[in-house]
Amino acid sequence: MSTLRIPAEDVPVREEVDLLVVGGGSAGVAAAVTAARRGLRTTLVEEMPFLGGMSTGGCVGTFCGFYLREPDGGMTRLVGGFPAEIEDALRADGHAYGPVAFKQTAALPYVPWGLKRLLEERVRREPALRVSLYARATHACVEDGSLRAVVVEGRRGRHAIRARSFVDASGDAALARLAGLPTRRSDAPQYPSMMFTMQHVDVPAALKALPRLPEILDAHFTSAGLPRRGGNLIPTLRPGEMLVALSRVALAGRPVDGADDDELTWGELEGRAQVDRLAAFLRAHVPGFAEAFVGDAAPRLGVRETRSIAGEYALTADDVLGARKFADGIGRSAWPIERHVAGGETVWRFLEPGAWYDVPYGCLVPQGIANLLATGRCLSAEPDAFASVRVIGPCMLEGQAAALAAEQMAKTGGAARDVDVDAVRHGLASLGVPL
């Protein structure tokens, strides 16, 4: 392969802040808002023109990991602080309901548009927080084992941001890779999906038929060329509208690689083509959809897994299924191991009823860079454990924990691995996080 030498360039330093957060998804927004509220001068950069990551851009439509289903069927909220605030605000606006029992767990349906606007309102309230959309980190400046600055490319060109500490909330461990750190990729990554809405649905008829959906999908899986044997139809509370979770995007029988530009491009196009095919299938075979039409597809493919960091600790399947508690736990999770695998199948492995595990702080600390933390889909976990901890509830908990760790680092000048985790846990408890 031929190469091209890029001329050296002097990049202007536009900002010097306490914390730079790369990635404005669920974890990144939680980190940035929490840090700004704690008095840290914070900048959040996001390459998309909106915040929320997969929760808005992927139109996930259900908060997973917010609730624990008790043995008696009752629901216990596992999140506190920023994610609890977001849930309560969405409810007040009529943009969330539940939690709803799902298999042996529970999910909280929400309206992606409502969440998108709510996150924007929250970040605009914080005077210590600057948000830059259409901005992508392109280079990392590392000296003596610490990040010193990140080069960001936007519509006006390149500029640098110096910071005392950094959070990689990119979803793809992008900042860690730029800093030269090793990253993990699963040998069996999960399949992505394309969410979409249908309108003019007879919602009561569709809900009545919902228990039969697996039977309907199985009966037509081969003849209709369906991508998935299971899924869900989620009422949004808006009249005649349902969110459809039936897509699964494969390339030559394997998952589309969300870390590869060419494959991701193919996956976006194929995902929207699936929307048309699935809408036709619903109209033909599922009660309530005969007169329905596609409202819109998600703005981006719902990628579940690409790259993550090699951390001080890697969460394991035994930790998840064994409901392990950690001295450095920064939040609780009870979401099952949920793997989207070949053949249109989804494999579930559940915790014992009423059980939950801790997400340890060590999973947020990359090996090799002193002042970097990783949250959300970037955190350190083995593949099966990742299939549980990747969901939105834990991601938000990790984001606010990273903000409190950054606060400690700003006070002491120490490294992420040396943070007083008890102080972080005390700060989380003061926010209302169950520990």
Side-chain angles (χ1 to χ4, degrees), residues 33-124:
V33 170
T34 303
R37 289 175 177 176
R38 307 290 288 194
L40 299 184
R41 294 168 300 135
T42 304
T43 293
L44 171 64
V45 298
E46 165 57 45
E47 62 183 316
M48 302 298 289
F50 52 83
L51 300 171
M54 288 296 123
S55 68
T56 55
C59 290
V60 172
T62 52
F63 287 140
C64 300
F66 273 52
Y67 280 85
L68 165 70
R69 191 174 180 187
E70 300 285 1
D72 63 1
M75 307 290 183
T76 299
R77 188 155 75 174
L78 294 178
V79 298
F82 188 72
E85 172 188 333
I86 292 300
E87 177 192 337
D88 293 343
L90 287 172
R91 286 183 185 277
D93 290 340
H95 287 151
Y97 65 94
V100 176
F102 178 68
K103 296 185 181 292
Q104 297 174 40
T105 183
L108 186 85
Y110 68 90
V111 177
W113 166 253
L115 177 61
K116 186 181 290 186
R117 287 291 299 121
L118 180 61
L119 295 179
E120 291 173 351
E121 290 169 5
R122 287 299 189 268
V123 300
R124 295 178 79 179

Side-chain angles (χ1 to χ4, degrees), residues 227-419:
R228 190 165 165 179
R229 292 183 181 275
N232 208 357
L233 305 171
I234 307 161
T236 66
L237 291 185
R238 297 190 288 194
E241 183 178 82
M242 295 193 84
L243 190 64
V244 181
L246 294 177
S247 163
R248 180 160 300 168
V249 182
L251 175 60
R254 60 170 178 78
V256 166
D257 185 353
D260 182 286
D261 295 345
D262 290 338
E263 291 202 9
L264 192 56
T265 298
W266 187 91
E268 294 281 0
L269 301 179
E270 172 61 19
R272 284 185 281 276
Q274 280 190 12
V275 168
D276 273 342
R277 297 196 297 270
L278 286 166
F281 170 80
L282 290 169
R283 283 192 291 266
H285 297 288
V286 179
F289 284 86
E291 303 298 325
F293 57 88
V294 174
D296 202 356
R300 59 192 299 191
L301 188 66
V303 175
R304 292 182 169 89
E305 181 176 12
T306 54
R307 297 185 177 94
S308 58
I309 65 161
E312 292 290 314
Y313 183 78
L315 193 71
T316 70
D318 286 343
D319 295 334
V320 172
L321 298 176
R324 185 176 175 186
K325 311 303 188 288
F326 290 86
D328 65 342
I330 48 82
R332 299 178 178 180
S333 178
W335 192 253
I337 294 174
E338 174 197 355
R339 292 191 66 90
H340 294 252
V341 299
E345 301 283 0
T346 303
V347 176
W348 299 85
R349 296 170 67 191
F350 292 89
L351 285 73
E352 291 294 325
W356 51 268
Y357 65 91
D358 278 329
V359 180
Y361 173 74
C363 292
L364 313 185
V365 183
Q367 299 176 22
I369 296 291
N371 59 341
L372 175 64
L373 292 154
T375 62
R377 291 192 295 124
C378 301
L379 97 168
S380 176
E382 295 179 359
D384 279 348
F386 181 83
S388 166
V389 77
R390 66 175 176 80
V391 296
I392 296 172
C395 286
M396 284 190 167
L397 291 175
E398 295 149 19
Q400 62 187 2
L404 292 173
E407 180 185 25
Q408 293 293 316
M409 293 160 66
K411 290 177 179 178
T412 66
R417 69 176 64 87
D418 300 324
V419 158

